[in-house]
């Protein structure tokens, strides 16, 4: 670090994230708080999201998801207003598709309905609401009046600043801001996300460098996700004056003259600040695999110490953390306790409470509307990559998009009406123009998209380093920076059909429920199978459809737990995806309403696969598990043909044959690596059951207690929608829920007697609150 020649130059560390919100700046102007609020949804009975995917791509989704799931049974209502389909919109009790052009009129009308003073209402001009949006405003207004301070509006991160300001003003009118309320001024993200004036100038490409400058990129990639003006400005700087500390050889890393490899977050010490006066120490899991790598934190410490010889010397970030928290963690015993617990408190009685200022006025400009356009372009945070996280990770590339089920690439999501207007079919390429900027992308027709909207996920359009292939399109190529609005929510564009076409590699192709199949009932209980009474434990699974948000956490956790390989885009195109769990999305009778249904091996008591296997490779255990003996399987695939649930997978290749070092360390040693010609499927994590059986037996227990262990999918589910346990134990959680809830089994009329049951999805209409 000391050898970096930066004398007589301006040095800039620019914070950059393409999806940085305006919330800090708005809260500073309105309330004097330069931070983002953390909404306490456990105190809310009516939640309205405005283009806010709070259970999907939101940075606090893990908190909001659990809060909303816990409130699901208590009568709490979630209403979503958005222009694109999102996990939040699908999970919501009610959802409305509204174009960005109509959003300001809708919000200003809603605010006008909430204020009672005539002189305030006189400050607003008449809005241009259509009858549909007027009905939405009246309906939401009635509910807001009903719930009062128990209701809240949540703005999305990518909304323009004026709309965010308007939404927070509505919250002020609802009186939900204050101590012990939904919006508590003490519960804020403990840092500002607002850009400084210098950062804004640099990001806009207007900054004057003077006698030269050096720019240091700390694990950020503006040459991919930056706007065209920023890329143009950076391109004018000599490569030797660009320094990149990066985990991957990404676009920015390759442009820089000085390249530094970064430590992975699992290889370094760190600390985390929470919104509730707690801190956490991040411990490294392994030593750095690259001995020449350095963490961003240690780079900054060394960089600072090279300029200030009088500063306190720290050999590592570990030493720095111990020094920073020496007042809270006084000795090694307290340090060990903080590491073991995972957190420690920094709050004390002398800490001042945040005083909430009220700078809200009614001076909203009625002329603030985005430019009128037939089509708007929206860049959405990817559910796999967010903006550009881990671009070379094939497990994320092959993970299906939760809504479209497309793998390995992105697409422009459009409505049926827009497709009809431009005579587009699924997979057709279009050219999208915004000023002088142009990109080409394939379209995907999706229910629930507002008219005149093209939504596309970020993170794609990258060159894979090992294969030199590019998957998908980089939507940031269409973006210019604007001083007044830095938003990807509503870019006016023009489109035209190109004549090119692509076939998407999808994990699901049919999204309409077959109502006739659902109405079928079992005609008789006669069976060719002899009855069997499970004397010991009988394992089963219950999945709550109303709590499933389709996030794919169970899919990935199952994949890594069970050493499930990736197969590539070409194999998925012909239906050979290997995931043991697939999350199907279905449209209800109302095309704006969808729900998710995880599908895995049903572990049938009358299993159709078992009776047709010529070598007994698939068999039934005394505990009710449909097991696979891999070294018996000869690849006849009769079991796959006879399975009505289509959940069995076949190894057409030795997928892990060419695994390079040190990637073998990611494999679970408790699970067999399956070879070519072997069928596989969900085993209810039999390895975890066996480990638990050994532990309990050593403790003298006859049976494994309820909740003693969890399956991989159950452990990863953020909403606790998956329940696993002993069906023979009448006091177990799964047995109690089966008695209490309205459940169903898949294809029950076939008399396969699955051990997997589903709790029916019931959405309560908001007007019935």
């Amino acid at each position: 670090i000391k050898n970096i020649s930066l004398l007589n130059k301006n040095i800039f560390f620019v914070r950059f994230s393409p999806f940085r919100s305006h919330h800090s700046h708005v809260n500073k102007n309105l309330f004097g708080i330069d931070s983002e609020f953390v909404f306490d949804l456990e105190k809310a009975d009516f939640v309205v999201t405005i283009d806010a995917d709070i259970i999907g791509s939101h940075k606090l989704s893990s908190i909001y998801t659990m809060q909303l799931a816990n409130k699901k049974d208590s009568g709490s209502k979630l209403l979503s207003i958005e222009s694109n389909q999102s996990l939040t919109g699908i999970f919501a009790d009610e959802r409305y598709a509204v174009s960005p052009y109509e959003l300001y009129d809708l919000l200003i009308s809603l605010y006008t309905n909430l204020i009672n003073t005539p002189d305030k209402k006189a400050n607003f001009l008449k809005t241009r609401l259509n009858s549909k949006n007027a009905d939405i405003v009246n309906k939401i207004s009635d509910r807001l009046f009903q719930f009062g301070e128990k209701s809240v509006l949540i703005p999305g991160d990518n909304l323009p600043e004026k709309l965010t300001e308007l939404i927070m003003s509505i919250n002020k009118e609802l009186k939900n801001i204050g101590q012990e309320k939904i919006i508590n001024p003490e519960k804020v993200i403990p840092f500002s996300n607002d850009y400084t004036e210098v950062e804004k100038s640099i990001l806009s490409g207007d900054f004057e460098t003077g006698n030269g400058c050096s720019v240091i990129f700390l694990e950020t990639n503006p040459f991919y996700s930056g706007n065209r003006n920023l890329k143009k400005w950076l391109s004018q700087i000599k490569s030797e004056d660009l320094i990149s500390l990066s985990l991957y050889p990404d676009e920015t890393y390759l442009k820089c003259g000085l390249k530094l490899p970064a430590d992975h977050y699992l290889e370094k010490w760190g600390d985390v600040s929470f919104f509730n006066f707690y801190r956490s120490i991040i411990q490294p899991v392994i030593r750095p695999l690259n001995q020449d790598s350095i963490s961003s934190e240690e780079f900054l410490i060394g960089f600072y110490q090279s300029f200030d010889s009088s500063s306190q010397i720290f050999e590592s970030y570990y030493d720095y953390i111990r020094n920073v928290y020496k007042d809270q963690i006084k000795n090694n015993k307290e340090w060990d306790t903080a590491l073991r617990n995972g957190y420690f408190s920094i709050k004390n009685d002398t800490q001042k409470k945040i005083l909430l200022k009220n700078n809200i006025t009614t001076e909203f400009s009625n002329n603030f509307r985005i430019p009128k356009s037939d089509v708007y372009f929206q860049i959405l945070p990817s559910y796999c990559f967010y903006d550009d996280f881990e671009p070379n990770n094939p497990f994320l590339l092959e993970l299906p998009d939760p809504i479209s089920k497309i793998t390995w690439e992105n697409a422009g999501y459009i409505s049926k009406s827009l497709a009809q207007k431009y005579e587009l079919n699924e997979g057709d390429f279009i050219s999208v123009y915004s000023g002088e900027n142009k990109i080409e992308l394939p379209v995907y027709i999706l229910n629930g998209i507002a008219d005149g909207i093209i939504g596309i996920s970020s993170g794609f359009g990258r060159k894979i380093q090992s294969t030199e292939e590019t998957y998908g399109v980089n939507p940031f190529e269409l973006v210019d920076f604007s001083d007044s609005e830095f938003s990807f929510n509503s870019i006016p564009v023009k489109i035209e059909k190109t004549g090119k076409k692509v076939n998407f590699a999808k994990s699901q192709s049919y999204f309409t429920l077959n109502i006739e199949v659902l109405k079928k009932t079992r005609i008789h209980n006669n069976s060719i199978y002899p009855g069997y009474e499970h004397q010991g434990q009988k394992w089963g699974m219950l999945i709550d459809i109303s709590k499933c948000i389709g996030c794919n956490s169970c899919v990935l956790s199952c994949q890594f737990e069970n050493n499930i390989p990736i197969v590539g885009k070409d194999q998925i195109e012909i239906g050979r995806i290997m995931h043991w769990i697939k999350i199907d999305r279905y449209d209800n009778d109302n095309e704006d309403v969808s729900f998710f249904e995880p599908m895995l091996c049903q572990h049938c008591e009358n299993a159709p696969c078992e009776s047709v296997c010529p070598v007994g490779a698939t068999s039934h255990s005394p505990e009710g598990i449909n097991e696979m003996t891999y070294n018996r399987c000869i690849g006849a695939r009769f079991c796959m043909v006879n399975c009505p649930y289509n959940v069995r997978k076949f190894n057409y290749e030795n997928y892990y044959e060419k695994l390079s070092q040190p990637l073998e360390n990611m494999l679970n040693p408790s699970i067999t690596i399956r070879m070519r010609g072997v069928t596989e499927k969900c085993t209810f994590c039999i390895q975890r059951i066996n480990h638990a059986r050994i532990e309990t037996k050593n403790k003298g227990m006859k049976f494994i207690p309820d909740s003693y262990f969890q399956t991989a999918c159950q452990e990863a589910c953020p909403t606790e929608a998956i329940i696993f346990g002993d069906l023979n134990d009448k006091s177990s959680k799964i047995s109690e829920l089966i008695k209490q809830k309205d459940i169903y089994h898949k294809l029950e009329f076939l008399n396969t007697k699955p051990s997997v049951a589903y709790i029916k999805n019931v959405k309560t209409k908001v007007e019935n609150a």
Side-chain angles (χ1 to χ4, degrees), residues 450-482:
D451 291 341
I453 296 296
I454 302 175
I456 186 170
S457 297
S458 61
F460 292 88
R462 321 288 300 280
K463 182 177 289 187
I464 306 301
Q465 295 297 321
S466 58
T467 63
E468 295 295 313
E469 293 189 57
T470 300
Y471 296 99
V473 180
N474 180 6
F476 295 109
E477 294 289 339
L478 211 62
V479 179
D480 285 327
F481 186 90
S482 169

Side-chain angles (χ1 to χ4, degrees), residues 712-744:
C713 56
Q714 179 188 15
E715 187 177 22
C717 182
T719 61
E720 298 180 354
I722 300 175
I723 302 97
F724 182 81
D726 182 7
L727 295 173
N728 280 352
D729 181 3
K730 302 307 178 185
S731 63
S732 66
K733 183 178 180 181
I734 186 172
S735 297
E736 291 291 336
L737 287 173
I738 287 177
K739 288 185 290 185
Q740 298 170 8
K741 300 292 185 178
D742 187 6
I743 69 167
Y744 69 94

Side-chain angles (χ1 to χ4, degrees), residues 38 57 61 65 76 80 125 142 251 294 334 388 391 396-397 409 504 525 551 644 658 755 764:
V38 178
S57 57
S61 62
T65 297
S76 175
S80 178
L125 301 174
D142 291 343
E251 290 83 354
I294 184 172
E334 292 186 4
D388 59 357
L396 294 180
L397 283 166
E409 60 189 318
F504 293 120
N525 284 313
C551 64
K658 298 180 180 179
S755 296
T764 307

Side-chain angles (χ1 to χ4, degrees), residues 114 122 159 202 284 308 314 339 346-347 409 421 504 544 594 677:
L114 292 177
L159 285 179
I202 291 176
D308 186 0
F314 299 102
L339 294 181
I346 63 167
K347 190 173 183 179
E409 60 189 318
K421 181 178 179 180
F504 293 120
D544 191 342
S594 303

Side-chain angles (χ1 to χ4, degrees), residues 538-541 602-605 624 684 727 745 753-757:
K538 182 182 186 303
W539 302 108
M541 181 174 286
Q602 302 292 292
H603 294 271
C604 310
E605 279 298 295
F684 273 168
L727 295 173
H745 295 90
K753 295 184 178 179
S755 296
V756 178

Side-chain angles (χ1 to χ4, degrees), residues 98-110 124 127 129 162-163 166 364-370:
V98 177
S99 167
Y101 182 75
E102 302 171 332
L103 196 54
Y104 177 80
D105 291 320
L106 187 149
L107 289 173
I108 204 71
S109 297
L110 186 60
F124 298 99
T127 57
L129 280 182
K162 293 296 183 182
L163 292 186
L166 182 52
F364 291 111
S365 169
N366 286 280
N367 294 322
F368 174 73
R369 292 183 179 89
I370 61 175

Side-chain angles (χ1 to χ4, degrees), residues 529 607-612 637-645 648:
Y529 297 88
C609 55
E610 295 174 7
S611 61
V612 296
R637 288 175 285 174
F638 296 153
C639 57
M640 297 178 66
V641 175
N642 222 38
C643 175
Y645 303 102
R648 304 180 74 91

